[in-house]
Amino acid sequence: MKKLLKVRLIIMAHPDDPELACGGTIARWTEKEQVYYIIVSSGEKGTRNKNDSLFDVVKKREEEAKKAARFLGVKKVIFLRHPDGEIERIKTLKLEIAALIRHIKPHTIVTHDPWRRQFHPDHRSTAWTVLDAIMIARDWHFYPFLLEIGLLPYRAKKLLLTPTDKPNFINDISSTFKKKIKAIKIHKSQLAQLPGWEMRIKERTKRDGELSGFEFGEGFYQMSI
Ligand SMILES: [Zn+2]
């Protein structure tokens, strides 16, 4: 019998978040496993030009996300198109994510760390919503209609939060660090809005890597589900 590939599911707020947070890890996983993205908002407000049409920004950013994902070997990118800057921990979003977890059946779920001191409200609200959705996906008595459409309860094995202030697990990305940088560069529309990003990524991955004796590493906070 053919062995099923391990599935990793990255659920993040914006089109460039997966590569910025853990592009090196994603590149390592896709060597042997399947990776899916769920992007909650297509980042339509991510422009500094007041004359830009939000529809054009979405189109560009979704294209960049798909291109970066393809470059890293990701199997599929799913866009939920919630409003940029106003993602909320609401029931509909929990249900969308829970249903997709039951459908995709990931071994690992990766999202933002809601406890990290970070400015962006979308990163916090996405993270809280994912945590709530994991429980809805796991237990029998949430939303019985899911059973009727064939989505049985599913418990992922691992939950990883990143970036994090307190990593308890470091993934060695020395072999894929350059690929991570190239993948971030595919998000052309965003680079001018991320001043000094390359230096910051280098410093963070070096610092995280040092904790486990790697040249470059990506740090995660691993939680049990
Ligand atoms: Zn973001």
Side-chain angles (χ1 to χ4, degrees), residues 32-206:
K32 285 188 192 143
E33 302 165 0
Q34 285 187 343
V35 178
Y36 287 77
Y37 289 177
I38 296 176
I39 305 293
V40 177
S41 161
S42 294
E44 66 274 10
K45 299 189 186 79
T47 172
R48 294 212 171 139
N49 183 348
K50 74 177 166 63
N51 297 319
D52 274 349
S53 144
L54 300 194
F55 298 102
D56 291 342
V57 178
V58 166
K59 190 163 181 275
K60 189 180 285 173
R61 295 202 65 182
E62 289 191 359
E63 274 165 12
E64 289 170 349
K66 283 189 275 190
K67 203 173 157 196
R70 247 194 327 268
F71 174 71
L72 290 180
V74 171
K75 190 168 169 62
K76 192 169 190 183
V77 185
I78 299 163
F79 298 102
L80 301 182
R81 297 184 182 144
H82 280 245
D84 188 17
E86 295 181 294
I87 295 174
E88 288 199 54
R89 188 180 179 179
I90 50 175
K91 278 190 175 176
T92 44
L93 181 55
K94 290 179 197 178
L95 185 53
E96 286 170 75
I97 293 174
L100 286 166
I101 290 171
R102 288 188 181 194
H103 176 61
I104 295 169
K105 300 182 177 64
H107 169 278
T108 307
I109 295 173
V110 183
T111 189
H112 308 273
D113 180 349
W115 291 279
R116 179 177 179 240
R117 280 162 293 179
Q118 61 186 327
F119 170 73
H120 209 304
D122 285 350
H123 292 185
R124 287 192 300 277
S125 51
T126 295
W128 290 123
T129 309
V130 171
L131 265 57
D132 296 346
I134 287 171
M135 192 161 83
I136 296 172
R138 189 191 68 181
D139 294 349
W140 277 102
H141 296 288
F142 287 98
Y143 302 99
F145 86 93
L146 291 171
L147 306 178
E148 293 299 325
I149 57 172
L151 294 173
L152 300 181
Y154 179 81
R155 182 195 282 259
K157 305 270 181 303
K158 233 187 225 187
L159 170 63
L160 298 174
L161 308 175
T162 190
T164 181
D165 292 329
K166 284 190 166 45
N168 60 3
F169 165 67
I170 310 287
N171 203 15
D172 182 2
I173 63 153
S174 309
S175 65
T176 54
F177 173 77
K178 280 191 186 137
K179 207 161 183 187
K180 172 185 173 86
I181 296 294
K182 276 191 189 163
I184 295 170
K185 284 182 179 166
I186 293 172
H187 297 277
K188 274 198 194 100
S189 69
Q190 301 304 299
L191 297 179
Q193 296 173 67
L194 300 165
W197 68 269
E198 201 164 346
M199 194 47 109
R200 278 186 286 127
I201 293 283
K202 200 165 188 177
E203 279 169 8
R204 194 176 80 215
T205 49
K206 256 189 153 39

